[in-house]
Amino acid sequence: MDVKLVLLKKNGSHKFLSLPSSVTVIGRRHSCDLCIPLMPVSRKHCQINYDSDVLKIRDLKSHNGTYLNGKRINEAVVQAGDSIRIGPLTFVFQINGQPQTITGPDLTARNSPPQDTAAENITDEQLDDFAELDDLDSLEQTSSA
């Protein structure tokens, strides 16, 4: 299974990030597989894993929550084209090349998550710095011990 997280940038462009293994921990901590160095992201925010062609995301008791298609989740099965919000960042899942065209989620028709005050304090420069990174190696990818 080829899984990519597609980071949606404010200017409408996006960055493709391949998951390093079948279990990927995302968080602010440097020991996470995908380190997002932004304060609204918990030290260990969420975990993505796939086994037998089933892709799941699980919130790791993060303070600001993990949102799948605009809805706060504890654990959920993910489909190609689903979007997740982690802190102030939105990603779309691309699975085995699907969807071929990545568009931003339309959260206006759904229950949009409330904007937390911590996310409001993130500067455009911090988001741009994160969005400029090309791959997981640049995101301080580490191997689990």
Side-chain angles (χ1 to χ4, degrees), residues 27 40 50 52 61 67 70 77 95 132 134:
Y50 55 91
S52 303
K61 299 182 182 176
Y67 292 83
V77 174
I95 304 171
E132 289 304 314
D134 289 327

Side-chain angles (χ1 to χ4, degrees), residues 1-6 16-26 33-34 47-50 55-56 84 91 93-95 136 141:
M1 179 182 284
D2 178 37
V3 180
K4 290 184 175 53
L5 284 177
V6 184
F16 290 83
L17 306 168
S18 294
L19 297 186
S21 68
S22 63
V23 177
T24 301
V25 176
I26 299 173
D33 300 306
L34 173 56
Q47 177 179 306
I48 300 168
N49 61 323
Y50 55 91
L55 182 67
K56 292 183 181 179
I84 58 167
F91 299 87
F93 281 94
Q94 185 181 56
I95 304 171
L136 288 177
Q141 179 183 1

Side-chain angles (χ1 to χ4, degrees), residues 18-94:
S18 294
L19 297 186
S21 68
S22 63
V23 177
T24 301
V25 176
I26 299 173
R28 194 177 72 237
R29 204 176 252 176
H30 293 285
S31 62
C32 290
D33 300 306
L34 173 56
C35 178
I36 301 174
L38 301 173
M39 286 307 295
V41 177
S42 293
R43 289 179 190 99
K44 285 190 171 184
H45 198 97
C46 64
Q47 177 179 306
I48 300 168
N49 61 323
Y50 55 91
D51 185 28
S52 303
D53 294 331
V54 175
L55 182 67
K56 292 183 181 179
I57 186 166
R58 181 170 52 104
D59 185 74
L60 297 176
K61 299 182 182 176
S62 65
H63 179 73
N64 290 321
T66 301
Y67 292 83
L68 177 66
N69 299 323
K71 182 180 176 186
R72 190 169 182 158
I73 56 100
N74 288 320
E75 185 172 354
V77 174
V78 177
Q79 304 295 322
D82 283 350
S83 66
I84 58 167
R85 193 188 94 190
I86 300 170
L89 302 178
T90 299
F91 299 87
V92 173
F93 281 94
Q94 185 181 56

Side-chain angles (χ1 to χ4, degrees), residues 81-122:
D82 283 350
S83 66
I84 58 167
R85 193 188 94 190
I86 300 170
L89 302 178
T90 299
F91 299 87
V92 173
F93 281 94
Q94 185 181 56
I95 304 171
N96 297 327
Q98 298 299 321
Q100 292 179 348
T101 304
I102 303 295
T103 58
D106 178 17
L107 296 178
T108 57
R110 304 177 189 187
N111 296 331
S112 295
Q115 292 297 318
D116 54 73
T117 55
E120 291 173 6
N121 293 327
I122 298 298

